[in-house]
């Protein structure tokens, strides 16, 4: 579970590389999943992107799994 860190506005979350809870920068990114031209504009999905401040490991998770 993510918790806020009293030192910064970041979030502490588990990092697979550091093997501990570390400060992460969190952002939302819209990703176009369709490749054909006409439907591509309707296929944008939000992804939660997190990056470890300590080691730089970055991963993303699709937020809509409908």
């Amino acid at each position: 579970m993510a918790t806020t860190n009293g030192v910064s506005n970041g979030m502490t979350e588990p990092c697979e590389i550091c093997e501990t809870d570390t400060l992460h920068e969190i952002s939302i990114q819209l990703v176009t999943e369709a490749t054909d031209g006409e439907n591509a504009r309707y296929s944008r999905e939000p992804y939660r992107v997190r990056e470890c401040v300590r080691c730089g490991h970055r991963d993303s998770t699709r937020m809509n799994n409908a």
Side-chain angles (χ1 to χ4, degrees), residues 27-35 39-49 58-64:
S27 62
I28 302 298
Q29 179 179 20
L30 290 176
V31 175
T32 302
E33 294 181 339
T35 56
N39 291 330
R41 64 181 158 178
Y42 302 110
S43 71
R44 293 181 302 223
E45 296 293 335
Y47 279 75
R48 181 179 188 268
V49 180
R58 184 177 172 138
D59 62 2
S60 61
T61 305
R62 185 176 183 206
M63 295 180 70
N64 290 340

Side-chain angles (χ1 to χ4, degrees), residues 5-51:
N5 184 332
V7 177
S8 174
N9 288 333
M11 300 288 289
T12 57
E13 295 188 355
C15 177
E16 297 83 22
I17 305 301
C18 296
E19 298 181 345
T20 186
D21 285 353
T22 59
L23 190 62
H24 282 73
E25 292 182 6
I26 309 297
S27 62
I28 302 298
Q29 179 179 20
L30 290 176
V31 175
T32 302
E33 294 181 339
T35 56
D36 60 353
E38 189 171 322
N39 291 330
R41 64 181 158 178
Y42 302 110
S43 71
R44 293 181 302 223
E45 296 293 335
Y47 279 75
R48 181 179 188 268
V49 180
R50 66 185 194 132
E51 184 173 350

